[in-house]
Amino acid sequence: MSKVNGVLLDITGVLKEGDSPIKNSVEAVERLREKGIKVRFVTNETQETKNSLVSRLSKMGFTLTEEEVISPCPAMAHELRRNGLRPHLLVHPTVLEEFDGVSTENPNCVVIGDCAEHFSYENMNKAFRVLINMSEPLLYSLGKGKYFREDGELVLDVGSYAACLEYATGAKSKIVGKPEPTFFQTALDMMQIKPEEAVMVGDDLVSDVGGAQGCGIKGILVRTGKFRPADERHPEVKPFFIADDLYHAVDHIISLL
Amino acid sequence: MSKVNGVLLDITGVLKEGDSPIKNSVEAVERLREKGIKVRFVTNETQETKNSLVSRLSKMGFTLTEEEVISPCPAMAHELRRNGLRPHLLVHPTVLEEFDGVSTENPNCVVIGDCAEHFSYENMNKAFRVLINMSEPLLYSLGKGKYFREDGELVLDVGSYAACLEYATGAKSKIVGKPEPTFFQTALDMMQIKPEEAVMVGDDLVSDVGGAQGCGIKGILVRTGKFRPADERHPEVKPFFIADDLYHAVDHIISLL
């Protein structure tokens, strides 16, 4: 098998939970860097800006730059500008700045991100009405996660709310984020490596492991974050390896060198 | 064709919008009664009790009794008691009393109704967590409507929020309400008539017209309430007749006698 030259890391549930690093995850990232392995952070985080995320991770002891982070909002903003689209933004207020300069007047599409408590009936109705008034409703979803773990509890993620709008309007959402192949490809392009030289480590079996493996990248599932025992018996997605945590995953990656 | 002996009427969007009767709808119901046609009110209303609904309709000028109304909450409460189920109730606070005497301790299913502004992130997460912790999530949805019209605006209905929980948990919701056949059958049983002697009048192409026609009842779509011109070109559901409003629908029914 090919040598591993690059590792893609999910953030929430792999590096950290809430504001705490997961045990030995800071050391695990350092070990990859010491071995000369390129690292990129591939996240579906849409509750905070890249800038704020990197600053928060740095405070926890991680060493990383904004350029190493691939997240949905900047990719979405780029796509909107490129296609001259004017979105109705159903996104968390903290990430609005990542859409600076994108016109939202007379919207011709809806962008849904993880809004947490801002997923109110009122906000959902506003987005719904934009879609139902379009002859062909155009809905972009920043990831399609079902749920994630926060402060020790599972909470609904953006994909579930996108499903609500899809059912109501008949739209089929276009995904910007994992598990969409172009999202992983961006990380590979930045590292200038081929899929078979890369490993993705994540706690989401479908978005992280399934998405990566769909692109020819090996996927490692960690038993932290939103991991649930039933994930090990999924009928379709079979991880390349299942690790107790990121440190264990890195052990395995290094054993392959 | 068979004589029409019974008419099933949807309420919101057919008899009334908000607190106002739709033009000539009071007279339309009276005409049916004068012709000796049995009438039942078959609604997916879960934002208020039967009692409150009947009292509100009476104030608008309609003549009807609670016994003539078939609505999801009492049917659901009956089903829960019959099967010894203990629900987590994600329903509008005003209808909680329709579940009096149903134990909700240590829940083994979730019941979702139209909660309007109570469809908060917090309330959705509570219901989600009950489901995700069950080995086989059991979700009952009080109807499966996509949206309805309220105060002149379209708003999301319970079916869309049920779709959110279905996507997140893998549950397939069981419907209590239209378009579920047993719901229409209850109305026929009460009137002691056969499906072919009945007509359903509604503004929801799928729940009212499609549901009724699936049971052999003729379905009339009205161009009031949530009706949208695209409904007339639906690929699958073809109404028996399309009427401008209830009065027009009753004209047509009487012409069949």
Side-chain angles (χ1 to χ4, degrees):
Chain A
M1 60 174 278
S2 302
K3 192 171 173 310
V4 176
N5 288 319
V7 171
L8 289 68
L9 299 175
D10 179 35
I11 296 178
T12 301
V14 175
L15 298 188
K16 68 168 186 79
E17 277 212 40
D19 272 327
S20 309
I22 288 171
K23 199 181 166 207
N24 292 329
S25 60
V26 171
E27 294 75 9
V29 177
E30 288 313 307
R31 283 180 77 200
L32 289 173
R33 299 213 191 261
E34 282 159 16
K35 291 286 180 187
I37 296 171
K38 292 172 186 172
V39 178
R40 290 296 182 279
F41 303 86
V42 184
T43 178
N44 274 2
E45 176 63 55
T46 58
Q47 271 196 43
E48 61 181 331
T49 61
K50 246 193 212 194
N51 182 281
S52 143
L53 186 61
V54 167
S55 129
R56 208 148 61 91
L57 286 166
S58 302
K59 279 183 198 143
M60 293 179 210
F62 294 99
T63 310
L64 79 169
T65 65
E66 266 191 61
E67 290 66 38
E68 288 174 321
V69 178
I70 295 113
S71 71
C73 291
M76 185 73 245
H78 179 71
E79 174 93 356
L80 292 166
R81 281 191 206 97
R82 199 164 57 90
N83 295 307
L85 289 166
R86 303 176 308 274
H88 172 91
L89 294 169
L90 178 57
V91 299
H92 200 283
T94 60
V95 298
L96 279 173
E97 63 184 78
E98 296 198 297
F99 295 90
D100 273 355
V102 172
S103 166
T104 56
E105 277 180 41
N106 188 19
N108 54 11
C109 66
V110 166
V111 172
I112 184 172
D114 178 19
C115 296
E117 69 274 19
H118 303 281
F119 275 133
S120 64
Y121 189 56
E122 190 187 348
N123 287 341
M124 285 294 284
N125 276 327
K126 282 182 188 164
F128 158 67
R129 283 181 209 126
V130 172
L131 290 170
I132 201 74
N133 285 318
M134 295 172 68
S135 57
E136 288 192 30
L138 179 55
L139 173 63
Y140 284 94
S141 183
L142 302 178
K144 58 184 276 193
K146 293 170 184 238
Y147 53 83
F148 58 96
R149 184 174 292 275
E150 190 171 68
D151 302 329
E153 286 197 309
L154 296 182
V155 292
L156 291 164
D157 198 1
V158 61
S160 302
Y161 277 91
C164 175
L165 294 178
E166 288 186 345
Y167 179 83
T169 65
K172 176 84 190 74
S173 50
K174 291 175 190 280
I175 310 298
V176 172
K178 297 176 283 186
E180 224 282 305
T182 56
F183 208 63
F184 294 98
Q185 193 57 51
T186 303
L188 297 178
D189 290 347
M190 287 168 72
M191 295 192 276
Q192 297 184 291
I193 62 172
K194 298 195 189 111
E196 55 270 29
E197 299 169 72
V199 175
M200 168 84 211
V201 185
D203 67 332
D204 188 314
L205 185 72
V206 172
S207 275
D208 294 328
V209 176
Q213 297 195 157
C215 303
I217 299 168
K218 287 177 270 296
I220 296 183
L221 181 69
V222 284
R223 293 193 185 92
T224 53
K226 81 178 88 178
F227 169 83
R228 301 170 72 234
D231 293 342
E232 302 200 21
R233 304 183 298 272
H234 193 278
E236 282 141 43
V237 183
K238 305 287 176 202
F240 165 71
F241 185 68
I242 301 177
D244 288 338
D245 55 21
L246 178 60
Y247 196 87
H248 182 203
V250 167
D251 255 354
H252 188 73
I253 291 167
I254 289 173
S255 78
L256 302 173
L257 297 179
Chain B
M1 60 173 280
S2 303
K3 190 171 174 312
V4 176
N5 288 318
V7 170
L8 289 68
L9 299 175
D10 179 35
I11 295 178
T12 300
V14 175
L15 298 189
K16 67 169 187 77
E17 278 212 40
D19 273 325
S20 310
I22 288 171
K23 199 182 166 206
N24 293 329
S25 60
V26 170
E27 294 75 10
V29 176
E30 287 314 305
R31 283 181 77 199
L32 290 172
R33 300 215 191 259
E34 282 159 16
K35 292 285 180 187
I37 297 172
K38 293 173 186 169
V39 178
R40 289 298 181 276
F41 302 86
V42 185
T43 178
N44 273 2
E45 176 63 55
T46 58
Q47 271 195 44
E48 61 182 331
T49 61
K50 245 195 212 192
N51 183 280
S52 143
L53 187 59
V54 167
S55 129
R56 208 148 61 91
L57 286 167
S58 302
K59 279 183 199 145
M60 292 180 213
F62 294 98
T63 310
L64 78 170
T65 65
E66 265 191 62
E67 290 65 37
E68 289 174 319
V69 177
I70 294 113
S71 71
C73 291
M76 185 74 245
H78 178 73
E79 173 92 359
L80 292 166
R81 282 191 205 96
R82 198 164 59 88
N83 295 307
L85 289 166
R86 302 177 308 274
H88 172 91
L89 293 170
L90 177 57
V91 299
H92 200 283
T94 60
V95 297
L96 279 173
E97 63 183 77
E98 296 199 298
F99 295 91
D100 274 356
V102 172
S103 167
T104 56
E105 275 180 44
N106 187 19
N108 55 10
C109 66
V110 166
V111 172
I112 183 173
D114 178 18
C115 296
E117 69 274 20
H118 303 280
F119 276 132
S120 63
Y121 189 57
E122 191 186 347
N123 287 341
M124 285 293 285
N125 277 326
K126 282 181 187 163
F128 158 67
R129 283 182 209 125
V130 171
L131 290 170
I132 200 75
N133 286 320
M134 296 172 67
S135 58
E136 288 192 29
L138 179 54
L139 173 63
Y140 285 94
S141 183
L142 303 178
K144 59 183 276 194
K146 294 171 183 236
Y147 53 83
F148 58 97
R149 184 176 291 276
E150 190 171 69
D151 302 329
E153 284 197 311
L154 296 181
V155 293
L156 291 164
D157 197 2
V158 60
S160 302
Y161 277 91
C164 175
L165 293 178
E166 289 186 345
Y167 180 83
T169 65
K172 176 84 189 74
S173 51
K174 291 176 190 280
I175 310 300
V176 172
K178 298 175 285 184
E180 225 282 304
T182 56
F183 208 64
F184 294 98
Q185 193 57 52
T186 303
L188 297 179
D189 291 348
M190 288 168 73
M191 296 191 276
Q192 297 183 290
I193 63 172
K194 298 195 190 111
E196 56 270 28
E197 299 168 73
V199 175
M200 168 84 212
V201 184
D203 67 331
D204 188 314
L205 185 73
V206 173
S207 276
D208 294 327
V209 177
Q213 297 196 157
C215 303
I217 299 168
K218 285 176 271 296
I220 297 184
L221 182 69
V222 283
R223 293 194 186 92
T224 53
K226 80 177 89 176
F227 169 83
R228 300 171 73 234
D231 293 341
E232 302 200 20
R233 304 182 299 272
H234 193 278
E236 283 141 43
V237 184
K238 306 288 177 202
F240 165 69
F241 184 68
I242 302 178
D244 288 338
D245 54 23
L246 178 60
Y247 196 87
H248 183 204
V250 168
D251 255 353
H252 189 73
I253 292 169
I254 290 175
S255 77
L256 301 173
L257 296 181

